[in-house]
Amino acid sequence: MGKSTFRTHISIFFLGEYFSDAVRNTLSVVLPVALFFWLGKPETATGIGVGALLISLTDLPDHRANKLRAAIYSIILFFFASLIVSASLPYPLLAAAVLICLSFIFSMFMGLGNRMGLIGTMTLALSTFVVGLHPSHPFQFSCYVLIGGCWYYALSLVQVLLRPYRSLHHAIFECLISSAAFLRSKAEHYNPEIPLESLQSSSIRLHIRVNQRHELIRQLLLTDNYAMNPENRRGQVLINKARLVIDLYEQLSAVHYDYEYVRKALSGTERLPLIEQLIEGLAKELELLSRDFRKPRQGALANEMLNYRQCKEMILNDRAGLTSAQQNIISRIVSNADEITSLISKMRTEPVVSNNTPKALEDEIAYPLFVSPENTALLQQLKFSSPIFRFSLRLAFSFLFAYILLSFFEPSKYSYWVFLTLLIVSRPRFSLTWKRNIQRVLGTLPGVVLGLIVVYLIKLPVVLLGLSVVFLLGFYAFNRLNYALCVGFITAAVILTLGSYHGHFDHIIQERIIYTIIGCAIAVFASYLFPVWDSRKLQHYISHAVQATQNYLNVAVYKASAKIVDPTQSRMARKNAHLTLVELSDAIGAAKLEPISHSIDFSSLNAIQFNIYQIGALTTSIFLSSEEAKVHPQLDQVNNLFGKILAISDDQTLTTSSQPVFNYQLSSDGVSSVTHKLNEIMKLTESLSHYMASFKTAKNQD
């Protein structure tokens, strides 16, 4: 990473949403705590501070309607959970039963979606804090927690009222940054000095990252009734920009060719370095667009456009000495680059507020279908086959075991750290639990070392408390970016804060390490109780990805052939193909962390994943094709191969009714680039079939 790139990333971080949210959250916790400690009311300060600290972690990026709902649910649940737990503390057995029951109930909130799952987790975290704090006045303390929650969300809701599209702007910004990184990886494919095999994993990783950003944009925009209102001109502009961002990525995906063939065809022509430079220039334009998303700097854009035009002229000059195949390759690459440039220009020139007369959204696009629904049928999760139900049972048993284990220890005011650690690192899937444990340990130990160094060098309590505020800021800043790093910051902050208030730094550090290790150990061993193994569902994910890719291909060819296609159907097919590949990649990564990973043929799995990705990229190129092609006889052969793959995956014959049926007419020109791409897809599908058979054979042998 160069110095300029490093400086860019640093400036982006400090000027971005994560850091500004971290400043707001830190102030919302520190200000009331400092005020009430100064007034001589430590219990009030503690209750309000804990309430604000934990409720702030339920505040995800979203529009104001969802934030208001989250505020209401969080505040109410925090109050009653705090009251119930604190009231039961004088009776140890009752307190244990209450906490164990709450661990099951609030874990089941995951069945209501990500936001409610997070609210349930933080409510349970508050319950463990109450056990550790052991307030002497339950109702009074619960009221302090209520005040802390109301105080925090008052600040958050005022901010979203003043800047309703802040999170959406940041999501688009991150999407453009990820798209620029994806395009830069595409440029490397034209560098013959870089082996193509080494670029496969990075291409898929960046593809997944961009599509995750797309999904966040859809959630933020399409669920916001205020933004989607046809009378809201600002909302109409954001809808157009979001569509341009997603369409832009389709053009980036279409910069996909048989790179080995292109390298051979253009070797010795000095065109490959120029093509790489051209695509690098487009990536720089995307970065400029992301940084200047709200306030474009026309001078910077003009410089980049000038460089782009110069590079383009050098590529197109002296083509007389090239073969027709070489000219065709260059023409297609330059044409695709021009389409990308056109979309970038459209995004730059899009006004902040539309001056056009408000009009209804396009009737032919059913926007609500593009939002991934959250499961709200909690009762459907009350069965042993449900991963959420199994996880809730596991967490409840873990809490029970922790209570029994701690009964053999000397009583300690910090023993609740075991329950807090259990809650934070335990996840429904084994792989996530294992990863969280590693991150927890890797974050805690450096945090302890950092706290020790600061305590050794500095003795003034005021300075130590000031540094703890800085570390709290670091915790918030990296909470959504790097869990291990945020654990290190909060560990140092806890050591300095509790040590300055209670004294005995060595005792606090010792217990922090011991209870963290105990919590992590229980979580790891408990993950074998009612486990959820991703490795056993790999064929399911492969089957879904193959079906979605086949459907996308059929829609793309039909669109290229007939020029008439339902926009909702085509865009949904495109979205599903991308997201199923994301799910497959996530499952493969999770399976690598499971105990039986040594028996899985990951070489075949990675090849399957990359073949599906390549087919999807070629399909996108067909989807964007403007040719007047009428028929592609290879499509039937490709569909047959897909059927064979699905039969291998599912151990059954695929029914034809599950695939869309289109009528194709014979082409008069006989050959087209769509035909060529279908030939490439056929080769990839045959290769995919081979790897599927190899993976299935290896699995059966195991």
Side-chain angles (χ1 to χ4, degrees), residues 360-391:
L361 295 173
E362 299 170 80
D363 295 332
E364 67 271 17
I365 298 182
Y367 284 100
L369 295 177
F370 291 86
V371 181
S372 299
E374 292 190 334
N375 185 9
T376 57
L378 190 59
L379 292 178
Q380 294 181 4
Q381 301 293 333
L382 293 175
K383 52 188 178 182
F384 194 72
S385 60
S386 167
I388 294 173
F389 181 77
R390 294 157 73 94
F391 166 68

Side-chain angles (χ1 to χ4, degrees), residues 66-78:
N66 280 350
K67 277 182 176 284
L68 179 59
R69 280 192 290 270
I72 294 171
Y73 294 147
S74 302
I75 290 170
I76 293 174
L77 287 172
F78 269 41

